[in-house]
Amino acid sequence: MTTTDSPPDAKPGRLKPPTRRRNHGDTERGFSRVFRWITTGSGAFLLLVLAAVAVFLIARGLPALTASPEELSGKGGLPTGMNSLWDLVGPLVFGTLLAAAMALLLATPVAIGIALFISHYAPRRAASVIGYVIDLLAAIPSVVFGLWGGRTLAPIISDVWVWIAGVLDFLPFWTVNVTNTGRSLATASVVLAVMVLPIITAVSREVFLQTPTLHEEAALALGATRWEMIRTAVLPFGRSGVISAAMLGLGRALGETMAVLMILSPGILYSFQIFDSGQQQTIAAFIASRFAEASGLAVNVLIATGLALFVITMVVNMGARAIVARRKEFSGAN
Amino acid sequence: MVGALALSLAACGSDPTTGAEPSEAAGGEAISGDFAGAGASSQESAMEAWVAGFQSANPDATINYDPAGSGAGREQFLAGGVQWAGSDSALDDEELAASAEVCGPDGAIDLPIYVSPIAVAFNLPGVDSLNLSSEVIANIFNGEIKKWNDDAIKADNPDAELPDTDITPVHRLDDSGTTENFTEYLSATAPEAWTDDPDGVWPLEGGDSAEGTSGVVGVVTDTEGAVTYADASKVGTLGTASIKVGEEFVPFSAEAAAATVDASDRIEGRAEHDFAIEVNRTLTDPSTYPLVLVSYAIACTNYADEAQGNFVKAFLAYQASEEGQQAAADAAGSSPISAATAEQVNAAIESITVG
């Protein structure tokens, strides 16, 4: 290729050049250099896309942020009775966080259970079958979850919600309302939980499998039962991994659109009535339901709510990173 | 099929005994070219049938209808982007004035081309029909009446076996002509029980909702005790209400819906051939059913482009014809407009000038 590729026997007496070449970065020649550019380009491209999205959201959302209350309720298509953007974005952010938090609350314990079963309890063959099924669950499109949740799950699960509301009836200061259709945030959260289950399970399983065998055997040698071994060796080791898994799931739950759109009877309120209809709405589903008919300033309003979702997702992810980084020292991973 | 046959016969023009008569049915000479319309999604299934029927007679014509919504359709029409628009409400005065820009000094006209009864549909096992006055309907949807065995419902249905089931009203989540007509009916006939203004967006807070006609019908079908309002042809196996007209309770029917259009007055102060009507919701004649959706075809009174003008005239004439209305009824379950209405619509279409 080049002159440096000349046969070694041409300069028999010198031994140093190879090392020096490496010191000067000469391992990068030919395609190796091109490949370096490709990977650098890919990394830069990712940042570029993110920046482009951020710029788009800010630029197109700005007219809604600066518009007067009259314009917003007129052309901006704010629901009647609202006169500032925050009246709309606030309840939407609330609904989005509530739905995602409930989904996570339901999904994480189950996901840890499945992951532990696969990594520590199941016979090898059963473990691989279950792992396969979990991956399959991740491949189901969200619109299918939406159809299933709206048409099959909601009518069935509504009986459960009615029962729970009846049990909670003793609360003196709070009446629990419940809808007979099952199209409530509670149902939407259950479906969201099913959707984030695969992602949390898959990551947790990988982390649990990496528990040093020495730790586990040490625990067993000290007379621990298998549950005690998991509690003292596996869970502390996997904690940061499980947290980042949950945060990945949270990211999906925050942005999920179709399933919520097809299941929930929305309303734009700050409300903890999770079994009733017409109470909450998530940002993503709100945008999807309104965008088709929106024009002019109404589009800017929708994009401004999208900006809010973008910020929330970023904050959540940064928070997750911070937690993981802080826990790393205690996890025993190093 | 008939149209295609007529055309193929007309093409064999050298034979004088077979050519002449059938070719009239196809509207004179065949139309060709690309044409576009946009507007109400309520007309979508009917429009598919109309386009298919028209194209079988005019195979060289390509027609695109974008069911983007009534408002979007009128906007595109006024911007000159489409040759005609479908809309659940007629052009308002401002839009009429704006239409002079694309249509010439005489502006645009509205033609009622699609009439469909709206049914109040409910899911109560064993109950196929109920008599509901508009006050009761309004009170059901605003949450005043909470149980199916409420005295107000019992009073009009002495023979029905009404269960002690909760009423779950379900409304449309999206902005829709169905909601607008339904709320207009309630505020016109039960102003004390229904205090909100007519609007395409459901005005009340809370409650169950779903996207589109199929959405609300699906939810009601899945939920015992639920009730909604929907295009009558799409309610499937649900029970439906007979609404109170005058002193009688009238179930929805195609004839009664068409009769409502005949009995309603045109909006005054418009051009001679503008057929925008104010649906009379407070009719007392029991042969009418005032809970109807009337959707218009909006066209120019003058088309500078000859091909576009000829197309719009031929296509709208086909829509208004008995054959076209029957095709829509078969495909979308709409009510064919009456002969009297059709005559006036045809006169309006005739008046459209080209060139």
Side-chain angles (χ1 to χ4, degrees):
Chain A
M1 204 183 296
T2 57
T3 49
T4 52
D5 268 337
S6 51
D9 58 345
K11 297 160 187 168
R14 289 159 61 178
L15 293 167
K16 281 224 165 175
T19 5
R20 202 194 301 153
R21 268 215 301 266
R22 204 168 294 128
N23 286 345
H24 283 81
D26 214 14
T27 47
E28 299 214 345
R29 51 185 192 277
F31 181 72
S32 180
R33 177 166 296 170
V34 177
F35 190 71
R36 181 195 162 93
W37 293 338
I38 292 176
T39 53
T40 312
S42 303
F45 179 70
L46 180 74
L47 285 177
L48 207 69
V49 168
L50 193 70
V53 170
V55 166
F56 159 80
L57 285 172
I58 293 169
R60 297 290 301 275
L62 208 60
L65 296 172
T66 54
S68 70
E70 294 79 41
E71 285 176 327
L72 280 175
S73 46
K75 282 188 217 148
L78 285 193
T80 39
M82 295 187 179
N83 37 35
S84 84
L85 193 62
W86 189 244
D87 285 351
L88 175 71
V89 175
L92 286 177
V93 169
F94 171 82
T96 307
L97 290 177
L98 185 61
M102 292 199 313
L104 217 55
L105 222 58
L106 291 170
T108 312
V110 179
I112 292 174
I114 298 173
L116 282 175
F117 178 71
I118 294 175
S119 63
H120 286 80
Y121 285 90
R124 182 165 295 178
R125 187 173 291 180
S128 72
V129 168
I130 292 172
Y132 177 72
V133 170
I134 287 286
D135 291 343
L136 206 64
L137 205 58
I140 298 176
S142 61
V143 65
V144 174
F145 275 115
L147 273 175
W148 169 74
R151 296 306 304 271
T152 307
L153 182 69
I156 298 171
I157 209 168
S158 67
D159 292 339
V160 179
W161 303 146
V162 169
W163 179 77
I164 293 179
V167 171
L168 292 178
D169 214 22
F170 70 90
L171 294 172
F173 46 89
W174 199 48
T175 345
V176 181
N177 296 327
V178 61
T179 174
N180 290 318
T181 59
R183 293 170 65 80
S184 57
L185 198 69
T187 309
S189 296
V190 169
V191 174
L192 284 181
V194 176
M195 294 176 71
V196 301
L197 200 59
I199 223 170
I200 304 179
T201 307
V203 176
S204 305
R205 178 189 57 191
E206 291 308 313
V207 176
F208 293 151
L209 281 173
Q210 281 168 20
T211 314
T213 322
L214 273 176
H215 290 200
E216 296 178 6
E217 285 173 354
L220 292 172
L222 288 169
T225 61
R226 201 186 287 199
W227 153 238
E228 284 164 344
M229 180 269 283
I230 286 172
R231 208 187 53 192
T232 54
V234 180
L235 289 181
F237 176 82
R239 188 176 294 149
S240 66
V242 170
I243 290 172
S244 53
M247 291 300 149
L248 277 176
L250 186 60
R252 179 162 192 201
L254 284 172
E256 179 45 44
T257 310
M258 277 321 283
V260 177
L261 189 66
M262 297 170 85
I263 294 166
L264 185 64
S265 292
I268 305 176
L269 303 171
Y270 293 104
S271 165
F272 282 103
Q273 296 280 5
I274 55 170
F275 302 121
D276 200 8
S277 58
Q279 304 294 311
Q280 308 90 348
Q281 169 73 304
T282 70
I283 293 176
F286 181 80
I287 295 175
S289 70
R290 294 295 175 93
F291 190 74
E293 303 268 340
S295 61
L297 189 61
V299 175
N300 299 121
V301 168
L302 291 179
I303 292 173
T305 60
L307 180 64
L309 182 60
F310 185 76
V311 171
I312 294 174
T313 319
M314 222 153 72
V315 168
V316 163
N317 275 316
M318 281 157 68
R321 292 248 159 186
I323 294 173
V324 171
R326 200 153 51 83
R327 296 266 177 167
K328 217 174 235 165
E329 308 153 30
F330 310 109
S331 71
N334 38 8
Chain B
M1 187 57 210
V2 174
L5 188 65
L7 199 81
S8 63
L9 287 174
C12 315
S14 58
D15 187 349
T17 52
T18 53
E21 272 180 18
S23 67
E24 272 176 13
E29 58 195 280
I31 304 287
S32 64
D34 287 352
F35 306 103
S41 53
S42 57
Q43 293 188 26
E44 191 179 1
S45 358
M47 194 62 72
E48 279 166 19
W50 284 332
V51 168
F54 189 77
Q55 281 180 336
S56 71
N58 302 280
D60 293 331
T62 310
I63 307 165
N64 285 309
Y65 181 74
D66 176 13
S70 299
R74 294 199 300 273
E75 215 168 277
Q76 289 185 37
F77 174 75
L78 293 177
V82 292
Q83 282 85 57
W84 93 101
S87 171
D88 291 344
S89 49
L91 294 171
D92 60 27
D93 292 340
E94 203 176 302
E95 288 168 329
L96 265 183
S99 69
E101 227 164 88
V102 282
C103 295
D106 290 335
I109 50 175
D110 309 282
L111 304 169
I113 212 83
Y114 180 88
V115 178
S116 177
I118 296 169
V120 176
F122 51 82
N123 175 357
L124 280 180
V127 183
D128 291 332
S129 70
L130 281 176
N131 295 334
L132 300 176
S133 67
S134 55
E135 287 83 16
V136 172
I137 296 174
N139 282 327
I140 285 175
F141 277 91
N142 69 19
E144 288 287 318
I145 298 178
K146 296 183 191 314
K147 295 271 186 188
W148 280 108
N149 60 359
D150 191 280
D151 289 338
I153 302 178
K154 268 187 190 162
D156 287 333
N157 300 279
D159 301 330
E161 281 187 32
L162 292 165
D164 178 33
T165 313
D166 288 335
I167 298 180
T168 311
V170 181
H171 62 260
R172 285 280 290 272
L173 176 55
D174 45 334
D175 187 344
S176 81
T178 315
T179 304
E180 184 161 6
N181 281 279
F182 182 66
T183 51
E184 192 181 303
Y185 168 75
L186 292 181
S187 71
T189 55
E192 279 156 31
W194 191 265
T195 50
D196 291 286
D197 287 332
D199 195 351
V201 179
W202 188 249
L204 302 179
E205 205 167 74
D208 267 290
S209 58
E211 192 100 11
T213 301
S214 57
V216 289
V217 170
V219 172
V220 173
T221 308
D222 291 338
T223 311
E224 204 176 312
V227 57
T228 191
Y229 54 92
D231 197 326
S233 60
K234 308 277 167 59
V235 299
T237 57
L238 298 173
T240 53
S242 298
I243 63 172
K244 196 170 192 179
V245 185
E247 291 308 308
E248 284 182 50
F249 287 97
V250 181
F252 74 84
S253 70
E255 296 74 29
T260 305
V261 175
D262 289 344
S264 298
D265 295 324
R266 289 195 193 192
I267 296 174
E268 283 176 16
R270 297 210 168 198
E272 185 195 348
H273 287 295
D274 189 301
F275 210 125
I277 59 169
E278 187 86 61
V279 178
N280 189 347
R281 308 289 180 187
T282 53
L283 291 169
T284 51
D285 179 356
S287 68
T288 60
Y289 184 87
L291 183 47
V292 290
L293 169 93
V294 177
S295 199
Y296 298 90
I298 298 176
C300 283
T301 48
N302 175 272
Y303 285 88
D305 185 305
E306 200 165 313
Q308 289 185 358
N310 287 334
F311 157 74
V312 170
K313 287 183 76 164
F315 188 48
L316 295 188
Y318 171 70
Q319 291 184 10
S321 70
E322 208 170 303
E323 187 194 342
Q325 287 291 310
Q326 193 53 48
D330 293 343
S334 63
S335 310
I337 54 176
S338 69
T341 308
E343 199 176 307
Q344 288 170 286
V345 170
N346 278 323
I349 295 170
E350 281 301 310
S351 78
I352 295 175
T353 54
V354 171

